[in-house]
Amino acid sequence: MFIPCDRGGGSAAPDFKGFTLLMPAVSVGNVGQLAIDLVISTLDMTKVGYFYTDCLVPMVGNNPYATAEENSVELSINAEVYSLPSKKLVVMQIRSPFIKNKYRPFCETLLSWVKSSKCARVVLLSSSHAYQRDDEQLLGTPLRYLLTPDLEKAVGGCMKELNWKEMEKVAAYPGINDTDKVLHIPGGGITKLLFTESCSEGIQMAVLLKFCSEGDNIPDAFVLVNYLNEWLQLIKSEVSTSNNSTDPSSQWKIPSSWRLLFGNGLPPALF
Amino acid sequence: MATFFGEVVVAPSRAGLDEEEEAREETPEDREIRREIEKKRYRQRGEIGEREIQVLWSCSEESLVCSRFVVAIGRNAAAFLSSFILDSVCWEVIGVVKLWNEWCRTSSTTNVLPTDSFCLFYRLISDPTVLLCQCSCYVAEDQQFQWLEKVFGSMQKKGLQVTILSTCPVADYKTQESTLTLVSPFLKALKTKEFQEQVCCPLLEQPNIVRDLPAA
């Protein structure tokens, strides 16, 4: 499934042992994917390979993180892997939706790749439908986290220090029986499946998600990536001297592929 | 999501989420039943299942050595090949793809009209390593990978160079100015880094992308 890039000189396949795998779930507003774009673009990560899979709708284009004429001609497809060894970080980006009935095989293959490449932990960026929140969730922060039991032991304390809120479980049979609680992530795509499978297979996984709706999800992406940064400290949040507050949003670099997200320019004849 | 009349409906998601998939909680028994149904669909009394595609070659697959493969996807590209390249003197039909999906059905006949949906393979008689494909039918997203594996899997590749011809509506082209003022039609290209020759037109700029069978 994972095909390493040929970087010339007969280099061996990259080694991800002990790395953190950061990846998006294709979810409402594509927030996870937008956040991953910001991470790859800002940290100027190098592509190390791609996933050859029949589970995602095919697409291809030129380099979405191009900054100049010279680096704009590398082809880019629907599932690619980037790495930054200095931060022990490997990032996967998914750029198209799942083909019907293929999301389950994809999850199985992905988790077996996680185990075979010996990644230390997986961080999944996702989102959930804002309109499905209950009364309590409507107040306070729209950000939530989840940890598999294995990762809870390692970093559970860190989440408490950061004052993060764990994703609430909902009643399995609302109105009838409020004691059976289940995890419900509407609009989260493969989030719930990946999380429950990781729990049962002993994989260390964290899910970071934001409640949102479809629309201009760029601000949601910034909020989610800043949330991630509170924990992983991928970039330094500098204190702004003008208003003396810590706002790391300006330090994330928007990739060139985010141009024209809402259509072309208007014809002058319209006015 | 609440609408104007107060009823709550499921909001459609741009992320392509299938609500049915999320709601379905499979027990091991469900999984087993589903697997058996799919097996039956694909291999019922030796018949090919509905969505499986068949690639039928008129020659033996051992003789399909290919050095140049031109694939025209969509009616416009297929018509371009018919008008400017193909003729019955220099080219012979050597294969056909038989498939069915919700949008079209192709048959195993090679005697087709331009208005039919078809997918045919031709070979240059003077150089049998040069192959052409005219694919005017729509290959559904769950069949695209199959198409690739079955077509390329049949070939012995010898320094293979693949050229894909396709068309897209101008309205889908993302550019700073309006597409109304754009001079069309125009050509754009994508190439792999292994392709070292000169490309005859500008490369496709971000944020434009290619989808479906040409992308696959």
Side-chain angles (χ1 to χ4, degrees), chain A residues 25-36:
Chain A
V26 180
S27 56
V28 58
N30 306 96
V31 177
Q33 296 159 283
L34 290 171
I36 292 287

Side-chain angles (χ1 to χ4, degrees), chain A residues 38 41-42 218 222 252-259:
Chain A
L38 285 172
S41 172
T42 309
I218 293 176
F222 275 100
W252 298 104
K253 192 165 97 178
I254 291 184
S256 52
S257 55
W258 282 21
R259 285 177 57 234

Side-chain angles (χ1 to χ4, degrees), chain A residues 26-27 52 54 58-60 62-63 73 75 99-101 103 131 187 192 214-215 217 257 259 264-265 267, chain B residues 1 13-15 17-18 20-22 25 141 144-145 149 173-176 178-179 203-204 206-207 210:
Chain A
V26 180
S27 56
Y52 183 65
D54 62 344
M59 54 78 47
V60 65
N62 275 325
N63 183 8
V73 297
L75 285 188
I99 290 176
K100 197 171 167 61
N101 297 327
Y103 72 102
Y131 73 90
K192 182 175 159 184
E214 293 284 349
N217 300 106
S257 55
R259 285 177 57 234
N264 295 341
Chain B
M1 181 178 85
S13 172
R14 219 176 33 215
L17 301 167
D18 190 340
E20 182 228 318
E21 286 187 25
E22 285 175 54
E25 298 268 338
E141 47 183 47
Q144 286 157 11
F145 205 76
E149 300 261 279
Y173 182 66
K174 303 240 180 344
T175 175
Q176 198 64 44
S178 153
T179 50
L203 294 179
L204 186 64
Q206 275 294 343
V210 174

Side-chain angles (χ1 to χ4, degrees), chain A:
Chain A
M1 186 179 177
F2 173 69
I3 314 277
C5 274
D6 177 25
R7 289 276 152 198
S11 52
D15 180 19
F16 300 132
K17 189 170 175 185
F19 277 37
T20 297
L21 169 65
L22 182 61
M23 60 171 285
V26 180
S27 56
V28 58
N30 306 96
V31 177
Q33 296 159 283
L34 290 171
I36 292 287
D37 260 354
L38 285 172
V39 172
I40 296 172
S41 172
T42 309
L43 299 179
D44 200 18
M45 296 179 81
T46 317
K47 183 162 33 178
V48 294
Y50 61 92
F51 273 37
Y52 183 65
T53 173
D54 62 344
C55 302
L56 294 165
V57 173
M59 54 78 47
V60 65
N62 275 325
N63 183 8
Y65 311 111
T67 47
E69 186 83 35
E70 297 79 46
N71 62 17
S72 66
V73 297
E74 194 179 346
L75 285 188
S76 206
I77 61 165
N78 54 12
E80 298 189 311
V81 179
Y82 300 77
S83 107
L84 190 63
S86 59
K87 288 201 191 293
K88 295 198 96 170
L89 184 66
V90 55
V91 174
M92 180 167 95
Q93 176 62 299
I94 301 176
R95 299 195 174 96
S96 59
F98 287 101
I99 290 176
K100 197 171 167 61
N101 297 327
K102 291 287 197 174
Y103 72 102
R104 219 171 266 276
F106 181 83
C107 289
E108 284 164 12
T109 323
L110 175 72
L111 290 180
S112 80
W113 177 69
V114 166
K115 285 195 276 198
S116 66
S117 60
K118 298 191 175 49
C119 290
R121 60 190 178 180
V122 181
V123 179
L124 183 69
L125 299 185
S126 180
S127 52
S128 184
H129 283 305
Y131 73 90
Q132 294 240 12
R133 289 174 293 176
D134 62 27
D135 293 344
E136 282 179 36
Q137 289 171 324
L138 282 170
L139 307 166
T141 173
L143 295 159
R144 296 288 187 276
Y145 78 93
L146 280 168
L147 296 174
T148 56
D150 295 88
L151 192 55
E152 174 84 48
K153 293 186 201 115
V155 304
C158 188
M159 302 318 186
K160 291 210 169 24
E161 269 176 55
L162 289 168
N163 214 13
W164 278 11
K165 218 164 167 183
E166 192 171 2
M167 182 71 173
E168 303 89 338
K169 289 197 169 152
V170 298
Y173 308 104
I176 299 169
N177 177 358
D178 276 347
T179 49
D180 287 332
K181 299 274 193 188
V182 289
L183 192 59
H184 186 48
I185 310 178
I190 57 171
T191 306
K192 182 175 159 184
L193 179 63
L194 273 180
F195 182 72
T196 46
E197 291 292 302
S198 298
C199 286
S200 56
E201 298 198 30
I203 293 177
Q204 294 196 5
M205 176 181 281
V207 174
L208 270 55
L209 68 83
K210 183 180 189 297
F211 290 117
C212 68
S213 305
E214 293 284 349
D216 179 359
N217 300 106
I218 293 176
D220 298 311
F222 275 100
V223 169
L224 188 60
V225 82
N226 286 332
Y227 187 55
L228 172 73
N229 201 45
E230 281 176 34
W231 174 33
L232 291 187
Q233 295 289 303
L234 297 172
I235 62 166
K236 284 198 182 9
S237 2
E238 285 157 17
V239 178
S240 154
T241 47
S242 55
N243 53 8
N244 217 25
S245 65
T246 319
D247 177 22
S249 293
S250 52
Q251 280 126 57
W252 298 104
K253 192 165 97 178
I254 291 184
S256 52
S257 55
W258 282 21
R259 285 177 57 234
L260 306 171
L261 272 177
F262 296 100
N264 295 341
L266 297 167
L270 198 63
F271 308 106

Side-chain angles (χ1 to χ4, degrees), chain B residues 95-116:
Chain B
V96 65
V97 170
K98 192 170 158 196
L99 63 80
W100 174 87
N101 55 51
E102 292 83 352
W103 293 269
C104 67
R105 176 195 292 278
T106 67
S107 65
S108 50
T109 176
T110 57
N111 196 12
V112 293
L113 294 170
T115 45
D116 292 340

Side-chain angles (χ1 to χ4, degrees), chain B residues 43-78:
Chain B
R43 286 280 175 263
Q44 197 165 15
R45 292 189 306 264
E47 289 165 18
I48 300 296
E50 277 188 345
R51 298 191 77 84
E52 194 164 319
I53 69 174
Q54 284 178 275
V55 183
L56 307 162
W57 302 103
S58 60
C59 55
S60 73
E61 282 173 25
E62 284 78 41
S63 63
L64 264 179
V65 179
C66 186
S67 64
R68 286 272 191 281
F69 187 32
V70 177
V71 188
I73 302 173
R75 286 198 189 280
N76 290 327

